[in-house]
Amino acid sequence: KSGLDPGGAWHAWGMACLKAGNLSLAREKFNRCLKPPMDLNQLNHGSRLVQDVIQYLESTVKPIVIADEDYFATLRELEAALRTRSLSLEMMCEGKIQHNSYYQECLFYLHSYGTNLAIISFYMRHDCMREALLHLLNKESPSDVFIEGIFIPSYESGKLHMLENLLETIDPGLESWGVYLIAACKYLQRKNYYHILYELQQFMKDHVRAAMTCIRFFTHGAKSYTELGSKQTWLLKIKDHLKVYLQEVSRSSGRKKMAFTFRKKMSATDVSRHINTVDLQMEVTKFLHRCESSGTSQMTGSFLPTLFGNNNMKMDVACKVMLEGKNIEEGFGIAFRVLQDFQLEATEVYSKVAKQLVKQQKYSEIRQLLKCVNESGAAAKNDGDNIILNCLNEFKNIPAEDLDNLIQDMDSDENKIQAYVMCNKLRSAYLVSVRQEKTRAVQLVQHVQQLAENSGDDVVKAICVQWL
């Protein structure tokens, strides 16, 4: 008469029937006020009313109290259960749920009015992980339901291995779990739970991604190559994962199609290239670790370059290796391989090293660098000259004698003239200019004369005028 919603009354009546133990009458009353959710895959446990019913039913089940004399009997049962481990889960579920009317009642309400997440969570609460997984598969629930309902509760309660065993039992190839496992990996990565991620990737036999996680373990948080030296086992693990992946690829290449649809794929060429990178990183790590231990290391920086970064970082590795040895020659071989393997801009790296040597006032080392570059067999005609020209911007700090020695080491007279002009040594520029072929010499001397006039160097200007 008053037009009020009768739902509350039906719900209260249903709860009263439950408490009185009249389960069939309770179903009838609840049927008038409970409704199934619009979307079974929504990430909640359904309406508050359904949750109240389940909560009451679960609380009504009496826990089994073990008397003292039953302890040994229980231990014997436990041993028997462990012997038949694969069956234990099903037996447990059947014993607990199938033969208990209150649990059966819970399942009736959950299947009639609950979400998939609510059903799965109920199974998980009562140690029925297998049923939870089968329900997930049968209903083709999205990966969010797997993460929330099964995966998070499993690793939080230390049952990740049990979950892995069951996934494998239900589908030995893991194909039907692919979407869920990839979603779990992404979730762990977002949470920065890299140790659990690595364990899961190994279970999935996803060797390429496992290798990538090992790279993170190797590089993350290290402040020095001494620290990286103590983490070299991760480099060996990267190689192991990549080698196993190569074996699997070569084994399956004879078959029609590779079955591993959810595992990360990579061409054999790329994998071999990555194995090469790991080998080179091992050499770099051993070398720089030794340098830091012996105290020859001078470079300090806010970040630590490794060969797993971008090209700029790889160039920093090459520079670091050359600068941190006892002399340039000691690290040049490894640095040269880095430049060759990754096809880096060699002249840019050499110039960077030369400028650093100017800052450290190691002028004889610059000459040694030029010698190594020329003997490497991969240097272009003017590489050595360009290295010197590039570091002449710092010439104000170079003593006159060392500066002259560097310029004298240059191959091309044109470059020598350019270098003398950059350093404002116009007389030296004039002396090299007049040695050139007549027409070119005239042009060069005129240029030096103009510069002398601009800078007010009357002596050099007079010499140029006289020669011209």
Side-chain angles (χ1 to χ4, degrees):
K1 286 179 180 177
S2 55
L4 295 173
D5 176 26
W10 287 119
H11 188 260
W13 197 347
M15 288 303 283
C17 292
L18 274 189
K19 287 169 187 174
N22 193 338
L23 301 181
S24 57
L25 192 58
R27 284 190 186 192
E28 190 191 312
K29 305 307 173 196
F30 284 128
N31 188 37
R32 295 170 178 272
C33 63
L34 298 180
K35 290 182 180 65
M38 298 288 285
D39 175 15
L40 289 173
N41 286 320
Q42 59 198 41
L43 282 185
N44 58 44
H45 291 259
S47 71
R48 185 68 256 172
L49 300 180
V50 178
Q51 288 179 56
D52 288 345
V53 173
I54 303 300
Q55 216 170 339
Y56 174 74
L57 286 168
E58 283 183 303
S59 66
T60 310
V61 179
K62 304 286 185 293
I64 300 159
V65 180
I66 300 171
D68 286 353
E69 61 270 20
D70 286 346
Y71 276 139
F72 291 109
T74 309
L75 282 172
R76 281 195 294 276
E77 283 169 22
L78 182 62
E79 281 173 15
L82 287 171
R83 277 198 297 274
T84 56
R85 192 173 169 205
S86 58
L87 299 170
S88 64
L89 206 67
E90 288 176 75
M91 284 160 55
M92 194 159 57
C93 290
E94 284 171 9
K96 204 172 193 184
I97 288 181
Q98 287 195 349
H99 303 141
N100 186 296
S101 56
Y102 279 92
Y103 281 128
Q104 285 302 307
E105 209 60 21
C106 284
L107 287 172
F108 166 76
Y109 286 106
L110 285 168
H111 282 287
S112 305
Y113 310 109
T115 59
N116 285 326
L117 181 59
I119 297 167
I120 284 167
S121 299
F122 173 79
Y123 281 132
M124 292 295 286
R125 273 199 304 281
H126 299 291
D127 296 322
C128 295
M129 197 186 280
R130 182 188 174 87
E131 276 67 14
L133 288 167
L134 291 173
H135 182 85
L136 179 88
L137 267 191
N138 293 338
K139 299 294 178 187
E140 295 179 356
S141 293
S143 43
D144 290 350
V145 174
F146 170 73
I147 303 286
E148 287 290 324
I150 300 175
F151 187 70
I152 294 174
S154 293
Y155 78 70
E156 283 183 346
S157 60
K159 291 179 180 170
L160 192 57
H161 282 298
M162 187 194 279
L163 172 63
E164 289 172 354
N165 289 339
L166 272 171
L167 294 175
E168 216 163 20
T169 308
I170 295 167
D171 177 3
L174 299 178
E175 282 305 312
S176 43
W177 305 116
V179 177
Y180 299 118
L181 289 168
I182 294 295
C185 289
K186 285 178 181 170
Y187 166 81
L188 292 170
Q189 204 165 355
R190 278 199 308 276
K191 288 281 189 181
N192 287 334
Y193 295 163
Y194 283 94
H195 288 280
I196 304 175
L197 173 66
Y198 181 51
E199 190 186 319
L200 189 62
Q201 286 168 336
Q202 289 180 92
F203 162 70
M204 292 159 65
K205 297 185 176 58
D206 194 347
H207 294 292
V208 175
R209 286 194 181 97
M212 288 156 77
T213 305
C214 291
I215 291 173
R216 195 207 180 257
F217 283 133
F218 174 71
T219 55
H220 187 68
K223 296 281 187 292
S224 69
Y225 261 89
T226 307
E227 276 183 60
L228 285 185
S230 64
K231 295 166 89 176
Q232 285 188 77
T233 46
W234 289 114
L235 293 176
L236 295 170
K237 284 184 179 178
I238 298 168
K239 271 183 77 171
D240 289 344
H241 283 300
L242 294 175
K243 282 178 177 174
V244 171
Y245 177 78
L246 272 184
Q247 285 165 4
E248 287 183 357
V249 170
S250 62
R251 271 205 305 270
S252 61
S253 59
R255 302 175 205 149
K256 284 184 181 176
K257 184 175 177 284
M258 266 184 81
F260 316 134
T261 49
F262 64 90
R263 297 172 181 94
K264 190 169 178 66
K265 291 191 185 66
M266 194 179 274
S267 71
T269 320
D270 282 348
V271 174
S272 302
R273 200 161 40 80
H274 286 305
I275 291 174
N276 229 19
T277 301
V278 175
D279 285 334
L280 201 47
Q281 180 63 54
M282 283 175 109
E283 273 192 67
V284 168
T285 307
K286 282 172 187 161
F287 178 77
L288 291 176
H289 181 207
R290 196 170 68 242
C291 294
E292 284 180 8
S293 305
S294 64
T296 56
S297 171
Q298 295 192 347
M299 286 179 79
T300 51
S302 54
F303 80 104
L304 202 60
T306 69
L307 298 178
F308 300 119
N310 57 21
N311 277 358
N312 286 339
M313 197 188 268
K314 289 178 180 118
M315 286 160 92
D316 288 339
V317 171
C319 291
K320 196 173 172 69
V321 168
M322 279 191 265
L323 289 164
E324 296 213 359
K326 288 197 290 288
N327 52 43
I328 288 292
E329 204 168 355
E330 193 188 13
F332 187 83
I334 298 174
F336 183 70
R337 276 180 55 205
V338 170
L339 297 175
Q340 290 288 297
D341 282 13
F342 299 107
Q343 297 176 338
L344 302 173
E345 193 53 62
T347 316
E348 195 181 323
V349 173
Y350 297 143
S351 300
K352 222 173 175 179
V353 171
K355 284 181 182 176
Q356 201 66 36
L357 291 170
V358 171
K359 279 184 191 167
Q360 295 173 10
Q361 299 181 349
K362 294 182 175 175
Y363 307 113
S364 60
E365 291 284 303
I366 298 176
R367 299 180 80 178
Q368 195 183 30
L369 171 67
L370 295 172
K371 178 172 171 282
C372 288
V373 171
N374 289 329
E375 287 173 0
S376 71
K381 188 169 180 283
N382 282 330
D383 274 0
D385 290 6
N386 289 333
I387 293 165
I388 295 172
L389 288 171
N390 280 331
C391 69
L392 284 183
N393 298 323
E394 324 277 331
F395 82 91
K396 300 175 194 68
N397 308 320
I398 304 179
E401 188 184 342
D402 290 302
L403 189 61
D404 273 335
N405 286 339
L406 279 176
I407 296 174
Q408 287 302 322
D409 280 347
M410 294 174 100
D411 293 325
S412 146
D413 281 350
E414 294 269 347
N415 287 333
K416 283 182 186 173
I417 295 163
Q418 189 186 340
Y420 282 130
V421 166
M422 279 173 79
C423 302
N424 217 22
K425 291 178 170 288
L426 298 179
R427 184 187 176 84
S428 300
Y430 161 78
L431 290 171
V432 181
S433 298
V434 295
R435 293 207 303 268
Q436 307 310 303
E437 177 269 323
K438 188 62 65 74
T439 319
R440 183 66 184 137
V442 170
Q443 291 172 341
L444 291 167
V445 173
Q446 282 173 337
H447 179 58
V448 173
Q449 181 196 342
Q450 185 64 54
L451 290 170
E453 199 174 310
N454 294 345
S455 61
D457 189 336
D458 293 334
V459 177
V460 174
K461 181 188 168 186
I463 297 171
C464 291
V465 169
Q466 186 182 356
W467 184 86
L468 286 164

